[in-house]
Amino acid sequence: MQLVKRISHTRPTNSQHSQAIEMEFQPLSDSDTDSLDDFQANLQVALSGLEELRKFQTRGGAAAGTSRRAARKKRGPKMLKVTNKWYYLPAGSPVPNFKSGGTLLAAHRREGYGFPSSHWGENGVGLPLAMSLDMTDEEFTTRLQELFPNLRGDFQCFKLNRQKELVPLSPNNPSALCKGKSKDRCRGIVFVKDKIPAQSASTSEQARTTGGPSSSTTPASTSEQARTTGGPSSSTTPANSCDSFEEAGTPSVMFRRQLIRQQDQEFREVLRADREREEIEEASADRRRRRQQALERRRSGVSEEPAEGSLLRIRFPDGTSTTRRFDLRQSIQVVFNVIALHPDATGNITIHANDQNHRSDQTGSCEEHGLRDRMTVFVSWNDEQEAETNMRLSGDLSDHSTSSIELLPDAHQDVVEVNSDWKVDLMLIQTGVTREGAPTANCLNVTRDRVMESARRGFNRKNFAPMKTINIVFVDSEEVGEGAVDNGGPTREFFRLLLQEATQSPVFKGPLDARQLEMSTQALSRGMYRDVGRFIALSIVHGGPGPKCLSQALYRKLTGQAPQCSITDICDETVEIQLRQISEAQSVEGVSEKIIQSQELLSVLGCVRHVRTLEERDDLIKSAVDYYVFGRLQLALEQFMEGLSTAGILEFMRNHHKEVQPLFVNDGVELSSTTMQALFMPVLSTAGSNKRTFENRILAYWRDWLIDIEEGESEITLGQLMSFVTGGDDLPPLGFTTSPSLEFLHEGGVFPTANTCALIIRLPILANFEEWTKKMEDGIIQSPSFGIA
């Protein structure tokens, strides 16, 4: 007999697959004193171990030959799914091009079709969406209606085949998308469409088999009725209408109708644009034809130049000019006929003279329009509407595929075009000055030794009006108020003297022909930079000269260009020497040594830095020069620009910075004897008379003397001669409104006289050239002001 002597067991683990119970059987000997109670206790322990082993195998443990696959099956299967892009396609609509996008894809999205609203990508392409294969048909329908709110309960899903045709899914659920064992991969786009009702389908079949509508109404009329009323006719079924295959009032039908209405609207807009284009072209051609006919009539009406008429100088927009005699008692149309000879002439002409505009359609004589002898008239062409129309016609109207058509404006509306000619813009500024009479606040009492002080006192008056006439009274010129009969002479003299004194004041520094702003806290606190800028602006507005002495860097800064400063623009000799020494050092060690020597200066300029290359040396020099020339002068520069903004002069400078630069920067061009000879028109006596003989001789003296002055063989300059006659030492930007003339003193007098208002110089008649030039020079040098009126 064998009894269990010892039973032991261990708790199984996941890695154990063998028997986990050990039993030791030993035979009982007669001498064994184990009691039956001990045997029963050991047997109970063994049975408990067997029960625990059975429970472990039941929980899925790897024991007694149980495999892992069987254990996983007991835990439940993995959920099956399919991933696709889902697209709600309107019935009757073609499949959009998803690569290029287009209006159809956008229209679907706008009408609630297309990809689900939560699955539109940034580039207009849909995002993948996972569908569970465990869903029932009801759950699938509910899921699609959540994605597409406009979807009805009855629908059909489609896939595209290789021929790009829609093929219905069978069965009508995601399970039809599964192929093989790969049931969770994205397999393209699934299209969802509303099913066509049976009644509509039978009507569609009847229309296709009969080849025409079911009633006598024509397809065209039915289509038009559907477009205008928003729904199909109840008694007609057009064979070629997509609406006949769908139920009226469904979203797809509404979308189709809206698309048709949009296409019709675009066609009508394009057609209207084409008609307006043709009308504008015809109107433009008609204007050109009428303009040419008008010019031919004017040119044929030009009469011969009268021998004893009044002289008029005509300035054209291109800068050219011509001088001709006219009988001022004749109609002003005679002047317009001569102007029409210009190759750029248009049918509509305006001349500006005597502070008034005269149009080519006006009547009356030249005298009635204020034209007088030796006057300069300015011409402008006003036929700008045709050029603007042609520019509009050059736009591209070929793209008619877009839903938004930009139509041409009405051909009959007024077209305003800004003339870019700087002379025209300046003339508009100057003609804006009121000439009816100077107000009391615009009367300036000027002393020649303190012109700038007198100007500041007058211009800073509370009621001073910059766009009204300025009345100048030189109180130290025997208190003769030439401003009361001022025709520009005293004003030009005043601004010439004013700018001379202002540009030599403490607000400027540097060479006389390249002035830079200089920092002065006293001038800044008193607003002198603003006053000097205002002086320059008012001088140009009232026909005076420009400063012609600003540096290139300052002018570029004022006009919004890059200043391009260099060491030569530094007016302080000490600063210039130190910066030049740094810039001329040829090694990094030499640059560092010079920087240490100039450390105090560089610290003030904010440019102390360690230099490792010669390129960094150049950057240091550029920073130092920029700060010295303009950085430290920012407040003064802003104040100066504020003064220049008077009457829009600063804006005018920036709009025409290249053309008007000679007014502000010395370009090196001086008056010449040729210019002076052409400027002054001699008033001669009758040919063959004794006076004419003397006049011819003095006229020869005059021309030879001008050549001597230009060559530096005279005590005066051409600028002094010009200021003696006109008050200004240079030609005004737009020329003189009255042509300067040259007369002769037959009644006696050995010194020249001048009238700066009428721009007349009277020459003495003397026997020989040496005596004549001596008297001319003495008279001009000893003249206390601007000549004797």
Side-chain angles (χ1 to χ4, degrees):
M1 179 179 180
Q2 289 184 347
L3 296 177
V4 177
K5 176 65 176 178
R6 182 174 60 85
I7 302 175
S8 63
H9 70 276
T10 59
R11 186 177 184 86
T13 62
N14 292 336
S15 62
Q16 292 173 326
H17 301 280
S18 62
Q19 179 70 6
I21 302 295
E22 289 186 14
M23 295 184 180
E24 181 180 352
F25 296 89
Q26 297 179 2
L28 287 175
S29 62
D30 295 338
S31 61
D32 197 342
T33 58
D34 291 340
S35 63
L36 183 61
D37 295 336
D38 294 335
F39 171 77
Q40 290 177 348
N42 291 332
L43 181 61
Q44 185 67 29
V45 172
L47 294 176
S48 299
L50 293 175
E51 180 66 20
E52 187 175 353
L53 177 62
R54 186 187 64 81
K55 292 181 180 180
F56 173 73
Q57 292 176 346
T58 304
R59 289 197 300 268
T66 304
S67 65
R68 292 185 179 182
R69 182 180 299 275
R72 286 198 299 270
K73 288 184 179 179
K74 290 182 180 180
R75 288 197 297 269
K78 180 181 179 180
M79 184 186 69
L80 299 178
K81 64 178 180 179
V82 63
T83 305
N84 293 83
K85 298 178 182 178
W86 295 80
Y87 193 91
Y88 185 18
L89 184 67
S93 174
V95 177
N97 189 339
F98 295 100
K99 293 183 178 180
S100 61
T103 57
L104 185 59
L105 192 65
H108 286 176
R109 183 175 185 178
R110 188 170 55 252
E111 297 299 328
Y113 296 97
F115 298 107
S117 59
S118 59
H119 285 70
W120 279 94
E122 296 181 357
N123 55 354
V125 179
L127 302 177
L129 176 66
M131 286 285 187
S132 173
L133 298 180
D134 294 338
M135 291 189 297
T136 63
D137 291 343
E138 291 76 11
E139 292 174 343
F140 179 57
T141 301
T142 303
R143 177 58 175 159
L144 287 184
Q145 288 178 344
E146 292 175 355
L147 296 173
F148 309 110
N150 293 336
L151 182 66
R152 297 181 299 172
D154 198 6
F155 60 87
Q156 177 65 49
C157 298
F158 296 85
K159 282 283 291 182
L160 282 178
N161 60 13
R162 295 184 177 181
Q163 289 75 28
K164 303 299 182 181
E165 298 174 345
L166 289 176
V167 179
L169 296 184
S170 180
N172 191 27
N173 55 51
S175 63
L177 302 172
C178 298
K179 292 183 180 180
K181 298 181 179 180
S182 301
K183 298 181 180 181
D184 57 350
R185 292 189 302 170
C186 179
R187 298 189 176 279
I189 301 176
V190 182
F191 297 91
V192 183
K193 296 177 65 174
D194 293 312
K195 281 188 176 180
I196 303 175
Q199 182 179 1
S200 299
S202 62
T203 306
S204 173
E205 183 65 26
Q206 179 183 1
R208 286 195 293 269
T209 55
T210 59
S214 60
S215 65
S216 59
T217 306
T218 63
S221 62
T222 305
S223 177
E224 184 63 28
Q225 181 179 2
R227 296 178 192 179
T228 55
T229 62
S233 174
S234 60
S235 61
T236 61
T237 307
N240 58 348
S241 174
C242 294
D243 296 350
S244 62
F245 296 90
E246 303 160 13
E247 182 180 356
T250 62
S252 60
V253 175
M254 297 172 61
F255 168 76
R256 183 67 177 177
R257 290 172 182 161
Q258 183 175 3
L259 184 61
I260 293 174
R261 286 195 298 269
Q262 182 180 1
Q263 293 174 348
D264 291 346
Q265 178 66 20
E266 292 177 0
F267 175 75
R268 286 193 294 269
E269 290 179 349
V270 171
L271 187 62
R272 181 162 64 93
D274 290 339
R275 286 198 300 266
E276 292 186 355
R277 178 188 178 90
E278 293 175 357
E279 292 175 359
I280 293 175
E281 289 177 345
E282 293 176 358
S284 178
D286 183 62
R287 280 196 300 271
R288 288 194 298 268
R289 184 173 55 258
R290 287 188 283 105
R291 184 189 68 176
Q292 188 63 29
Q293 293 174 355
L295 290 176
E296 291 177 357
R297 287 195 301 269
R298 286 194 177 279
R299 290 166 181 172
S300 62
V302 176
S303 59
E304 294 184 1
E305 181 177 0
E308 301 296 334
S310 300
L311 285 173
L312 291 181
R313 174 169 291 180
I314 303 172
R315 287 189 175 272
F316 298 100
D318 60 359
T320 60
S321 63
T322 184
T323 303
R324 194 179 189 277
R325 294 185 181 273
F326 294 91
D327 186 355
L328 300 183
R329 294 170 298 179
Q330 293 181 347
S331 172
I332 195 174
Q333 294 299 322
V334 176
V335 179
F336 288 108
N337 292 344
V338 174
I339 294 174
L341 297 175
H342 194 277
D344 296 338
T346 60
N348 190 6
I349 305 171
T350 298
I351 60 175
H352 310 272
N354 198 24
D355 300 328
Q356 295 180 359
N357 297 334
H358 310 279
R359 300 188 309 273
S360 56
D361 58 351
Q362 293 179 335
T363 59
S365 66
C366 297
E367 292 179 343
E368 292 174 352
H369 285 274
L371 302 185
R372 60 181 183 273
D373 190 23
R374 295 180 179 84
M375 176 177 284
T376 301
V377 297
F378 298 89
V379 180
S380 62
W381 316 124
N382 298 330
D383 196 7
E384 303 294 345
Q385 183 173 0
E386 180 177 344
E388 177 69 14
T389 302
N390 292 335
M391 183 171 63
R392 295 204 311 268
L393 286 174
S394 62
D396 183 13
L397 295 177
S398 60
D399 186 8
H400 295 163
S401 61
T402 59
S403 59
S404 177
I405 304 296
E406 184 177 356
L407 301 179
L408 293 174
D410 188 358
H412 302 289
Q413 68 181 7
D414 293 334
V415 178
V416 179
E417 179 176 304
V418 178
N419 195 317
S420 60
D421 187 355
W422 71 274
K423 292 185 179 181
V424 174
D425 289 350
L426 181 57
M427 182 178 62
L428 293 176
I429 294 176
Q430 292 183 353
T431 53
V433 178
T434 305
R435 306 290 183 181
E436 281 72 14
T440 304
N442 282 34
C443 294
L444 273 64
N445 300 294
V446 181
T447 56
R448 293 182 180 274
D449 56 341
R450 295 185 177 181
V451 178
M452 188 172 173
E453 179 184 336
S454 304
R456 293 192 66 201
R457 191 169 58 246
F459 291 161
N460 290 329
R461 289 173 184 162
K462 180 180 179 180
N463 295 325
F464 176 79
M467 296 306 291
K468 291 187 178 181
T469 300
I470 299 177
N471 190 3
I472 303 299
V473 178
F474 285 98
V475 296
D476 58 343
S477 182
E478 299 181 1
E479 299 185 359
V480 177
E482 294 139 299
V485 290
D486 187 8
N487 193 27
T491 301
R492 286 189 293 271
E493 174 74 4
F494 163 70
F495 280 114
R496 178 178 67 84
L497 299 175
L498 176 61
L499 294 191
Q500 285 180 357
E501 184 175 342
T503 54
Q504 296 177 17
S505 66
V507 302
F508 288 103
K509 193 175 182 180
L512 294 179
D513 59 348
R515 305 292 276 174
Q516 286 278 8
L517 288 180
E518 174 64 6
M519 187 60 194
S520 171
T521 55
Q522 182 181 11
L524 186 65
S525 62
R526 296 177 58 188
M528 289 187 63
Y529 295 96
R530 183 187 305 106
D531 290 339
V532 172
R534 198 179 188 189
F535 297 160
I536 296 174
L538 289 177
S539 176
I540 295 174
V541 169
H542 290 270
K548 298 192 68 174
C549 65
L550 302 183
S551 67
Q552 282 279 359
L554 178 57
Y555 180 77
R556 292 180 65 88
K557 185 71 173 180
L558 294 174
T559 54
Q561 305 175 76
Q564 298 178 354
C565 301
S566 63
I567 296 180
T568 57
D569 294 316
I570 296 178
C571 303
D572 191 299
E573 185 177 358
T574 302
V575 176
E576 180 183 0
I577 292 175
Q578 294 186 28
L579 293 181
R580 192 176 296 280
Q581 289 176 350
I582 297 175
S583 66
E584 292 176 352
Q586 299 301 318
S587 63
V588 176
E589 293 77 9
V591 172
S592 301
E593 181 181 354
K594 296 300 181 182
I595 290 177
I596 295 175
Q597 295 176 1
S598 306
Q599 186 172 2
E600 182 178 356
L601 170 65
L602 295 178
S603 63
V604 174
L605 300 179
C607 299
V608 177
R609 66 184 71 167
H610 179 63
V611 174
R612 293 183 292 268
T613 63
L614 295 181
E615 288 75 11
E616 293 183 357
R617 174 204 63 184
D618 297 337
D619 292 340
L620 183 147
I621 294 298
K622 183 178 183 304
S623 300
V625 171
D626 290 344
Y627 180 80
Y628 185 87
V629 176
F630 292 117
R632 65 190 184 93
L633 297 171
Q634 187 61 34
L635 294 178
L637 185 64
E638 292 176 356
Q639 199 177 95
F640 185 60
M641 294 169 66
E642 180 183 350
L644 277 175
S645 300
T646 303
I649 293 300
L650 182 60
E651 181 181 2
F652 167 74
M653 293 169 57
R654 292 177 174 176
N655 292 339
H656 308 282
H657 57 87
K658 291 183 179 179
E659 294 83 358
V660 303
Q661 180 173 327
L663 296 179
F664 300 89
V665 180
N666 186 4
D667 56 358
V669 179
E670 303 290 344
L671 285 173
S672 64
S673 59
T674 304
T675 302
M676 297 292 286
Q677 291 180 23
L679 180 65
F680 291 92
M681 302 173 59
V683 180
L684 301 174
S685 302
T686 305
S689 62
N690 293 332
K691 289 185 177 180
R692 182 63 176 270
T693 302
F694 293 116
E695 292 169 355
N696 291 337
R697 186 175 72 244
I698 300 303
L699 187 59
Y701 290 171
W702 163 261
R703 293 176 178 175
D704 290 340
W705 183 52
L706 292 178
I707 297 175
D708 292 342
I709 296 176
E710 183 178 8
E711 294 180 351
E713 297 181 0
S714 175
E715 297 182 8
I716 66 171
T717 63
L718 293 178
Q720 288 178 290
L721 175 60
M722 177 70 76
S723 62
F724 175 78
V725 182
T726 66
D729 56 358
D730 201 354
L731 293 175
L734 297 181
F736 297 103
T737 56
T738 301
S739 298
S741 60
L742 188 150
E743 298 181 355
F744 303 91
L745 294 172
H746 289 286
E747 305 300 329
V750 295
F751 294 103
T753 62
N755 188 322
T756 59
C757 299
L759 303 180
I760 300 174
I761 182 173
R762 300 179 179 91
L763 306 180
I765 298 179
L766 299 176
N768 57 74
F769 178 72
E770 289 75 13
E771 183 183 2
W772 184 86
T773 56
K774 177 64 175 177
K775 297 298 183 182
M776 288 290 296
E777 293 171 0
D778 290 344
I780 294 173
I781 293 174
Q782 296 175 11
S783 176
S785 57
F786 41 82
I788 302 173

